[in-house]
């Protein structure tokens, strides 16, 4: 999907372009071919159905394509290809079928004939157009679009192309359907109501959802009664008027098709017809190809080399550079890097005072991140203005008297040594603040969604006027995002005349006035992968380029800044004999008892009957392979968690973690620090920012709009040694396919098809955030059907369930939430939220459902026992680090897995995905071992009873891991809380904390 030059034009008339050298990518193509076995599908997960006007044909959307079959059932014929990414068919006159397609990176409406010919695109542009429905006379399509600032009902006149808007802000309308006379349109509003609107705009509310229920798929039934699906966890009912006509089925929630008293609908993976009080299944068969050859894993254990993990560099007025590396802060002067902090805790995000004599930074040495100021001449460190919350990503004001910073909830604060004032409302994962030259405006990156219904938007410049209290959002370029909301800008120049930011992985500079208003067009400065901008005077930028520190003048002259830092993996401990009462080798069905495990140079040398004297007496414990959590995001809240995050993973026996998405240089720095032994924690395998499409949500997503830019993203991944690549929610299918073809490392995404055809290696979650607003791998009731299971088991793609609903098990066992390890090692606000949520389970305030959880686990079990590839992961910290891993394992066992099978998903299977000899206790394997009380093969809860843990032969006791945080912060005197700035008042619905949506997968 190459965008044309016209598509890439910006305000300046220049292409929002990419380095021309990057288009000749040097990292090779994927080894997987788009060939393999063919899979017969006889059921469909979350399929919708439409019937032709003559009653002879049905159209369904199965694995993101439009298929047609005889109305009585039979073999389905595919009309659209995989790249069309087509869903929600609607039959019109002459057997024309309207549908929505995501082919070009936005949802648009298309027409196609019953014979698969005459494909025609009906809408264009950068807004989404969804859910078409033909009018009875066939002359119009009703649909919804966010083109007016929220999802409203629109009508398209097919002959002229004219679009009329019937509803708008603040609605979030969905799934419009026509009345039989063509004069009214019924639709749902925010899953909470059913409304009807006439073509002249007159509107009426027909149904309001009862408390605890959601409404989907409205249509007109007999006598113009409203018909819709009413859902809550464990129940889905097809309703006509006020009576439920279908119960006890997993009704999918799409508009039913009524013909008199008979109704056609989809449920339980099937097309169903209810007529005369009886239900008939309309059988179908569809055949799809999948790739069965997965690419070889290329994950390697890092051993040392030049430091590439340079995080958050900043430049002083006299040219010194400060940054974080190897779990410490460094000062770079004249090509020599000097270590400033000892690396015992988490010190991050330095910023120079205006005179260059001091740095302010965040450190968790008091237990949570607080602001510290270091005098560079004397080396003296002082707390600047302690607060009861986290203080992260600080910036000095131009006069050096104040500091702007973020807290853990995404609020911006301004503080001096006397007191602190809240500057903004809670923002969703905002970027690092920057100051105007006069100190009267603070700017930062913040997301602005297109609508309430779908959370994605663009990352824009948010300017906050400290005097007037005004908040103003500015797109960096039309429909473009700042690359990531971290260190990619905006950054104000020292003279206050320009702001710099990264868009599409290159640096841009725009002239601004004193308040940050753009007064000219952005100008491209760099043509290579560019991250983490800092000004070097008023005429140059310092940035990171694939592990190199670079400097570019505004006219494009680039030089490399040498720092000379290297690292090496420390020597593994000498020989150690550990006596255990029992062990599980990662394969056996029963424990083997009374052995000595001999560890030499970080690996298991021998397992033998007990004899002689042991160096470590764990005779009352059971040794199991260290657990692997294959889905978490270390730096989603990394600054708030600080160094304690590594300790909590180890304290619960998790010795390896895999991140499918993190801010890239924070990730590389942490990966190097863990490997170098300067940070305590598990083995860390990871990628940088997920490759996303034109709209984003999280701050660590890369908006990617073309194959040329995709090459830049892959080049970054190759040169920084990514262990995998994740493609995210809004990336079009064609770019997903290109990523598979051009990458050497494994890939994963939120989609199972056509990913399984292209050679994608895994899917994250049972069915996560999806651009459709629902998933084709799991229903709203938590169930998956034959189509999904067959594709997983045949293709060999991994699935990482991330069982968020496992929190429902806290209804009768809160031990993980109240455990001392959780209480001591979680930041206070995380512990309090986690405990409150655990206490709420089993009550009306509970956020999780056992009914949905049961379906999720049964899905995973069907894949696992069908020969598929299930790996445990949690999406921590969206779920709770470490404790969620065990809660996931307990959920697997609760609903069908044996304890051994559950443990295999957290040991052998993810080790295989990584291509490493982990997840086993056997000679030659790395000595990654958890020592637990009890027999986890008999009781999965014993896997959490960790007393000691070993990583690469290095032994930690739980007591040692807790010790640094037992007494932290108890005697800290905080600065005064002053009245907030007027700008702190929340006036926008999208201003919410990152944790407001505990899980990623609500839609």
């Amino acid at each position: 999907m190459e965008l044309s030059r016209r598509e890439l034009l910006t305000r300046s008339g220049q292409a929002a372009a990419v380095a021309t050298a990057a288009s000749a990518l040097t990292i090779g193509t994927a080894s997987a071919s788009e060939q393999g076995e063919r899979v017969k599908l006889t059921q469909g997960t979350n399929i919708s159905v439409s019937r032709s006007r003559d009653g002879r044909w049905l159209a369904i959307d199965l694995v993101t394509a439009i298929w047609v079959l005889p109305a009585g059932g039979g073999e389905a014929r595919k009309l659209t290809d995989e790249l069309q990414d087509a869903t929600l068919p609607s039959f019109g006159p002459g057997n024309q079928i309207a549908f929505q397609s995501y082919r070009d990176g936005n949802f648009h409406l298309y027409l196609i004939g019953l014979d698969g010919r005459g494909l025609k695109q009906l809408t264009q542009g950068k807004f989404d157009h969804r859910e078409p429905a033909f009018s009875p006379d066939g002359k119009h399509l009703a649909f919804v679009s966010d083109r007016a600032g929220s999802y409203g009902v629109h009508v398209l006149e097919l002959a002229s192309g004219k679009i009329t808007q019937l509803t708008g802000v603040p609605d979030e309308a969905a799934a419009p359907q026509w009345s039989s006379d063509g004069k009214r349109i019924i639709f749902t509003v925010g899953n909470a109501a059913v409304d009807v609107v006439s073509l002249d705009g007159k509107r009426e509310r027909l149904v309001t959802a009862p408390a605890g229920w959601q409404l989907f798929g409205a249509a007109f039934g007999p006598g113009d009664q409203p018909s819709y699906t009413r859902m809550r966890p464990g129940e889905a009912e097809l309703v006509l008027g006020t009576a439920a006509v279908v119960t006890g089925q997993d009704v999918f929630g799409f508009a039913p098709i009524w013909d008199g008293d008979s109704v056609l609908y989809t449920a339980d993976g099937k097309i169903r017809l209810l007529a005369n009080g009886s239900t008939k299944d309309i059988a179908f068969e569809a055949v799809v190809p999948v790739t069965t050859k997965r690419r070889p894993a290329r994950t390697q254990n890092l051993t040392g080399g030049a430091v590439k993990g340079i995080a958050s560099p900043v430049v002083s007025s006299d040219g010194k550079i400060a940054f974080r590396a190897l779990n410490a802060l460094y000062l770079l002067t004249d090509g020599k890097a000097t270590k400033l902090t000892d690396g015992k805790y988490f010190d991050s995000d330095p910023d120079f005072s205006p005179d260059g004599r001091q740095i302010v930074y965040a450190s968790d040495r008091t237990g949570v991140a607080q602001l510290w100021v270091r005098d560079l001449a004397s080396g003296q460190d002082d707390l600047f203005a302690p607060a009861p919350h986290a203080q992260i990503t600080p910036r000095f004001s131009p006069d050096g008297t104040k500091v702007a910073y973020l807290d853990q909830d995404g609020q911006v604060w301004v503080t001096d040594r006397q007191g602190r004032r809240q500057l903004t409302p809670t923002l969703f994962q905002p970027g690092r603040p920057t100051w105007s030259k006069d100190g009267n405006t603070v700017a930062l990156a913040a997301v602005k969604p297109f609508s309430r219904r779908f959370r994605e938007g663009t990352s824009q410049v948010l300017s906050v006027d400290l005097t007037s209290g005004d908040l103003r959002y500015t797109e960096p370029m039309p429909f473009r995002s700042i690359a990531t909301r971290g260190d990619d800008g905006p950054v104000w120049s020292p003279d206050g005349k320009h702001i710099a930011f990264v868009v599409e992985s290159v640096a841009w500079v725009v002239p601004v006035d004193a308040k940050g208003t753009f007064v000219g067009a952005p100008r491209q400065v760099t043509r290579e992968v560019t991250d983490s901008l800092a000004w070097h005077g008023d005429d140059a930028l310092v940035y990171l380029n694939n592990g190199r520190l670079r400097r570019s003048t505004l006219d494009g002259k680039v030089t490399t800044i040498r720092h000379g830092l290297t690292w090496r993996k420390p020597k593994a401990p000498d020989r150690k004999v550990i006596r255990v009462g029992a062990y599980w080798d990662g394969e056996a069905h029963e424990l083997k008892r009374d052995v000595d495990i001999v560890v030499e140079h970080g690996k298991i040398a021998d397992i033998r009957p007990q004899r002689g004297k042991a160096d470590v007496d764990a005779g009352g414990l059971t040794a199991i392979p260290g657990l692997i959590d294959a889905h978490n995001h270390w730096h989603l809240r990394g600054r708030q968690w600080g160094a304690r995050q590594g300790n909590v993973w180890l304290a619960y026996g998790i010795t390896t973690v895999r991140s499918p998405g993190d801010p890239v240089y924070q990730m590389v720095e942490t990966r190097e620090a863990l490997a170098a032994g300067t940070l305590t924690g598990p083995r860390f395998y990871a990628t940088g920012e997920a490759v996303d499409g034109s709209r984003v949500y999280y701050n660590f997503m890369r908006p990617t709009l073309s194959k040329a830019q995709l090459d830049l993203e892959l080049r970054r991944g190759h040169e920084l040694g990514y262990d995998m690549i994740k493609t995210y929610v809004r990336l079009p299918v064609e770019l997903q396919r290109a990523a598979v073809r051009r990458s050497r490392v494994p890939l994963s995404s939120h989609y199972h098809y056509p990913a399984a055809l292209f050679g994608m290696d895994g899917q994250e979650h049972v069915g996560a955030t999806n651009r459709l607003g629902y998933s084709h791998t799991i229903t709203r009731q938590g169930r998956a059907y034959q189509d999904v299971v067959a594709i997983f088991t045949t293709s060999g793609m991994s699935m990482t369930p991330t069982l968020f609903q496992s929190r429902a098990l806290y209804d009768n066992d809160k031990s993980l939430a109240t455990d001392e390890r959780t209480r001591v090692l979680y930041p206070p606000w995380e512990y309090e939220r986690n405990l409150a949520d655990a206490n709420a389970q089993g009550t009306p305030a509970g956020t999780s459902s056992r009914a949905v959880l049961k379906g999720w686990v049964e899905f995973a079990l069907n894949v696992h026992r069908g020969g598929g590839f299930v790996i445990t992961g949690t999406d921590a910290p969206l779920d709770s680090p470490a404790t969620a891993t065990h809660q996931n394992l307990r959920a697997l066992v609760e609903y069908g897995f044996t304890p051994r099978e559950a443990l295999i998903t957290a040991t052998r299977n993810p080790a295989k995905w990584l291509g490493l000899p982990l997840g086993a206790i056997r000679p030659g394997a790395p000595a990654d071992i958890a020592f637990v009380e009890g027999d986890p093969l008999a009781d999965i809860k014993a896997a959490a009873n960790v007393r000691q843990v070993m990583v690469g032969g290095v032994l930690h006791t739980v007591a040692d891991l807790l010790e640094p945080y037992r007494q932290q912060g108890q005697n800290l005197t905080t600065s005064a809380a002053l009245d907030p700035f007027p700008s702190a008042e929340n006036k926008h619905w999208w201003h919410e904390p990152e944790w407001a949506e505990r899980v990623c997968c609500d839609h």
Side-chain angles (χ1 to χ4, degrees):
M1 186 190 70
E2 295 283 10
L3 296 185
S4 67
R5 180 175 176 81
R6 182 179 299 274
E7 275 287 306
L8 289 171
L9 290 180
T10 66
R11 296 181 184 152
S12 60
Q14 300 173 352
V18 291
T20 55
S23 60
L25 196 64
T26 60
I27 64 174
T29 58
S31 61
S33 64
E34 290 172 21
Q35 300 178 11
E37 295 191 29
R38 298 171 71 79
V39 181
K40 180 186 290 186
L41 309 181
T42 58
Q43 294 183 344
T45 302
N46 267 348
I47 57 172
S48 67
V49 64
S50 180
R51 185 165 53 199
S52 63
R53 300 291 175 93
D54 60 12
R56 296 175 57 193
W57 298 96
L58 302 179
I60 60 173
D61 51 358
L62 182 68
V63 290
T64 62
I66 305 301
W67 303 69
V68 293
L69 65 149
E75 183 177 347
R77 175 168 48 88
K78 189 166 68 169
L79 301 185
T80 60
D81 65 24
E82 287 76 18
L83 299 184
Q84 197 70 50
D85 199 1
T87 44
L88 298 179
S90 174
F91 262 110
N95 285 335
Q96 289 261 293
I97 301 171
F99 62 91
Q100 65 178 21
S101 167
Y102 191 71
R103 181 160 196 150
D104 70 354
N106 283 96
F107 279 97
H108 288 299
L109 309 184
Y110 283 74
L111 287 179
I112 197 168
L114 184 66
D115 58 1
R117 297 179 181 178
L119 181 68
K120 180 181 180 181
Q121 185 171 347
L122 302 177
T123 59
Q124 297 82 29
K126 297 301 182 182
F127 293 103
D128 283 345
H129 303 75
R130 300 176 182 251
E131 300 159 3
F134 262 109
S135 61
D137 63 8
K139 296 180 179 180
H140 297 85
L141 284 177
F143 66 96
V144 295
S145 175
D146 59 7
R147 57 195 284 145
S150 69
Y151 269 90
V153 176
H154 296 69
V155 172
L156 169 66
E157 185 179 62
L158 291 169
S160 67
K162 178 184 176 182
I163 292 176
T164 302
Q165 180 181 341
L166 297 182
T167 73
V169 178
D171 285 342
E172 295 301 338
Q177 296 290 321
W178 295 83
S179 60
S180 58
D181 62 6
K183 295 181 178 180
R184 295 180 298 157
I185 296 171
I186 193 171
F187 57 97
T188 60
V189 182
N191 299 337
V194 174
D195 282 11
V196 64
V197 63
S198 60
L199 296 185
D200 62 5
K202 184 179 179 181
R203 183 165 170 178
E204 179 185 358
R205 176 138 299 175
L206 301 181
V207 182
T208 299
W213 294 79
Q214 291 186 310
L215 308 182
F216 301 93
F220 285 104
D224 275 351
Q225 297 178 85
S227 176
Y228 52 91
T229 303
R230 183 170 62 200
M231 290 191 194
R232 63 183 177 185
E235 292 183 78
E237 303 172 339
L238 181 59
V239 177
L240 176 63
T242 59
V245 295
V246 174
T247 61
Q249 300 178 29
D250 184 12
V251 184
F252 289 165
F254 300 104
I257 301 169
W258 289 91
D259 182 8
D261 292 331
S262 70
V263 61
L264 184 72
Y265 64 100
T266 55
D268 294 342
K270 302 171 183 178
I271 307 168
R272 285 187 165 149
L273 180 66
L274 172 63
N276 301 318
S278 64
T279 300
K280 173 187 175 183
D281 290 343
I282 300 174
F284 65 87
E285 291 184 2
V287 177
V288 297
V290 298
T291 296
T292 54
K293 184 179 179 182
R294 308 261 74 81
R295 73 192 62 242
R298 298 186 69 250
T299 304
Q300 298 179 358
N301 284 316
L302 301 178
T303 58
V307 168
K308 294 184 177 181
I310 303 295
S312 304
V314 290
V315 185
S316 69
S317 56
D318 56 357
K320 298 188 293 289
I321 299 175
F323 54 83
R324 172 180 168 82
L326 299 174
N327 199 39
L329 298 183
Y330 284 83
L331 184 68
L332 179 62
T333 307
D334 298 327
K336 181 181 180 181
T338 303
K339 190 175 180 181
L340 296 179
T341 60
D342 62 15
K344 184 177 180 181
Y345 290 99
F346 188 86
D347 305 324
S348 67
D349 300 291
D351 189 52
F352 285 100
S353 60
D355 60 12
R357 296 178 181 179
Q358 298 177 315
I359 60 168
V360 62
Y361 63 98
S363 175
D364 70 343
R365 69 190 67 176
T366 62
V368 298
Q370 297 285 278
L371 301 182
W372 291 77
V373 170
R374 165 166 290 207
D375 183 280
L376 294 176
S378 67
Q380 177 69 34
D381 274 325
D382 293 302
L383 277 165
F384 184 74
H389 50 241
Q391 298 176 305
I392 58 176
T393 62
R395 292 279 195 192
F396 265 120
S397 63
D399 63 5
T401 64
K402 297 181 287 293
V403 172
Y405 68 88
L406 302 177
D407 68 11
Q408 74 275 2
D409 289 338
Q411 296 172 345
V412 183
W413 296 75
V414 172
T415 186
D416 56 24
R417 291 190 180 273
Q418 283 68 52
R420 53 194 155 82
R421 298 180 66 188
Q422 185 181 342
L423 180 60
T424 71
T426 299
L427 305 173
F428 185 84
Q429 294 186 343
R432 190 173 186 178
T434 185
W435 291 82
S436 63
K437 181 176 174 57
D438 62 13
N440 290 327
T441 304
V442 170
L444 64 155
V447 67
K448 185 178 181 183
F450 280 77
S451 74
R452 282 181 183 265
R453 186 177 168 200
F454 294 92
R455 65 192 192 179
E456 293 83 12
T458 53
S459 295
Q460 303 185 13
V461 179
L462 175 61
S463 301
V464 187
D465 190 315
L466 276 67
T467 304
S468 69
D470 290 339
L471 280 77
R472 184 180 72 252
Y473 281 88
T474 304
E475 292 179 303
M477 300 170 196
F479 295 99
R480 297 293 192 268
S481 278
I482 293 173
T484 66
R485 300 192 305 277
D487 295 321
D488 286 339
V491 186
W492 229 302
S493 62
D495 63 7
K497 296 181 179 179
H498 293 87
I499 282 177
F501 44 72
V502 177
V503 170
E504 295 178 45
S505 291
V506 293
W508 299 75
V509 170
V510 62
V512 295
D513 65 15
K515 293 183 179 295
T517 303
F518 291 12
V519 295
R523 178 164 63 91
Q524 186 176 340
V525 175
T526 63
R527 295 189 173 274
E528 61 184 3
V529 177
T530 303
D531 296 305
S532 299
L533 296 177
W535 283 92
H536 193 294
D538 295 318
D539 60 354
L541 295 171
V542 166
Y543 58 93
L544 296 168
N545 166 250
N546 298 350
R548 295 173 286 271
L549 198 57
R550 306 272 272 176
R551 180 183 185 273
S552 175
T553 60
L554 297 189
D555 58 5
K557 296 177 182 178
V558 178
T559 56
T560 297
I561 301 171
R562 309 293 178 186
H563 56 71
L565 286 179
T566 61
W567 71 275
R568 61 182 299 176
K569 189 175 181 179
K571 181 182 176 182
D574 293 334
R575 187 174 187 271
K576 193 180 296 291
V577 177
I578 307 159
R579 179 154 296 162
V580 296
Y583 84 103
W584 178 58
D585 62 8
E587 293 287 349
H589 289 265
E590 294 181 351
L591 300 181
K592 300 175 184 179
R593 300 192 178 275
D594 301 325
V595 300
D596 289 341
I597 301 174
V598 182
V599 175
E600 293 180 353
H601 310 300
K603 293 185 177 181
I604 298 169
D606 192 16
I607 303 171
R608 68 189 191 199
Q610 294 178 0
R611 69 170 185 264
K613 183 179 180 181
D615 300 296
V616 178
D617 185 359
L621 302 178
T622 300
I624 65 172
L627 302 180
I628 302 172
D629 188 302
H631 188 124
N632 49 79
H633 303 283
W634 191 292
H635 282 285
L636 193 149
R637 298 179 196 161
R639 290 173 168 97
Q640 297 96 305
W641 275 79
R644 64 175 71 223
Q645 184 173 176
N647 291 31
V648 76
W649 287 115
L650 293 183
Y652 278 100
I654 294 109
T655 56
T656 298
V657 296
R658 184 197 71 161
S659 167
D662 259 313
V664 56
Y665 283 96
Q666 303 295 325
M667 178 276 287
V668 175
E669 188 277 333
T670 296
R671 189 174 62 176
E672 289 179 347
L674 288 164
T678 56
L679 179 66
T680 299
R683 300 177 191 268
F684 183 38
Y685 300 99
T687 185
E689 295 89 3
V691 182
D692 210 346
S694 60
R695 300 182 182 186
V696 296
Y697 181 59
Y698 290 107
N699 62 0
F700 59 97
M701 302 302 165
R702 287 275 172 189
T704 305
L705 280 72
S706 67
K707 287 181 180 176
Q709 188 197 343
L710 177 64
D711 286 353
L712 286 183
E713 307 308 325
L714 297 180
R715 182 180 295 279
R716 179 194 289 109
H718 175 62
E719 296 190 16
L720 291 176
Y722 285 10
D723 298 304
M724 63 173 292
I725 288 171
K726 182 178 179 182
T727 60
Y728 205 55
V729 172
R730 295 276 302 199
L731 190 73
V733 169
E734 187 170 354
L735 288 185
Q736 185 186 66
R737 182 179 68 173
V740 175
R741 289 176 169 178
R742 300 175 186 213
S743 171
R744 287 181 178 176
V745 298
L747 296 98
S748 192
S749 77
H750 280 199
Y751 301 103
H752 81 307
Y753 204 86
L757 170 63
F758 298 152
M760 189 74 70
D761 299 281
Q763 177 188 295
E764 305 304 309
H765 318 284
V766 287
T769 309
N770 191 299
R771 53 182 170 255
L772 290 171
Y774 57 91
S775 174
H776 268 153
T777 57
I778 200 80
T779 70
R780 295 179 175 96
Q781 293 298 319
R783 299 174 189 170
Y785 294 94
Q786 180 270 343
D787 58 330
V788 181
V789 174
I791 286 172
F792 273 114
T793 55
T794 305
S795 70
M797 281 179 65
S798 66
M799 64 169 293
T800 316
T802 63
L803 302 173
F804 298 100
Q805 300 287 341
S806 67
R807 300 184 69 82
L809 301 186
Y810 280 129
D811 62 355
N812 59 24
D813 181 1
K814 298 176 175 55
S815 58
L816 290 172
T818 58
D819 192 285
E820 181 189 27
R821 290 167 292 179
T822 309
R823 177 175 54 80
V824 172
L825 291 177
Y826 276 39
W829 51 86
E830 294 276 1
Y831 177 72
E832 291 164 7
R833 279 200 298 264
N834 184 55
L835 184 61
D837 190 52
N839 287 332
Q841 300 310 318
T843 75
T847 58
S848 301
S849 162
R850 278 183 173 263
V852 174
L853 176 62
K854 183 176 184 289
W856 286 8
V857 174
E858 289 175 347
F859 170 25
L861 185 62
N862 287 335
V863 172
H864 173 74
R865 292 189 178 166
F869 194 28
V870 179
I871 59 179
T872 285
T874 57
D875 216 3
L878 293 180
D879 210 342
S880 304
T883 59
T885 311
H886 290 283
Q887 203 74 344
N888 273 234
L889 296 177
R890 294 177 185 189
L892 293 179
V893 174
E894 180 80 5
Y895 293 110
F897 282 71
T898 68
R900 176 182 174 272
E901 288 175 313
L903 287 169
I904 283 173
T905 72
T907 52
R908 183 185 71 190
N909 285 5
K912 179 182 176 182
W913 204 98
L914 292 168
L916 294 171
L918 303 171
I921 297 178
R922 62 172 181 262
D928 291 12
I929 306 171
F931 302 91
V932 306
E933 288 184 353
D935 178 359
L937 295 182
D939 180 1
I940 192 62
K941 293 182 179 180
N945 297 338
V946 179
R947 298 298 175 259
Q948 300 180 67
V949 64
M950 178 176 279
V951 184
V954 177
L955 187 67
H956 305 270
T957 68
V958 168
D960 289 341
L961 294 169
L962 297 181
E963 184 57 32
Y965 297 98
R966 284 192 184 278
Q967 306 298 326
Q968 295 292 315
Q970 291 186 1
N971 299 315
L972 189 66
T973 301
T974 61
S975 59
L978 306 178
D979 290 340
F981 287 92
S983 51
E985 182 183 356
N986 190 4
K987 297 180 180 179
H988 298 296
W989 57 262
W990 62 88
H991 289 166
E992 61 180 6
E994 181 271 315
W995 48 264
E997 292 185 79
R998 174 163 287 278
V999 303
C1000 71
C1001 313
D1002 61 323
H1003 61 257

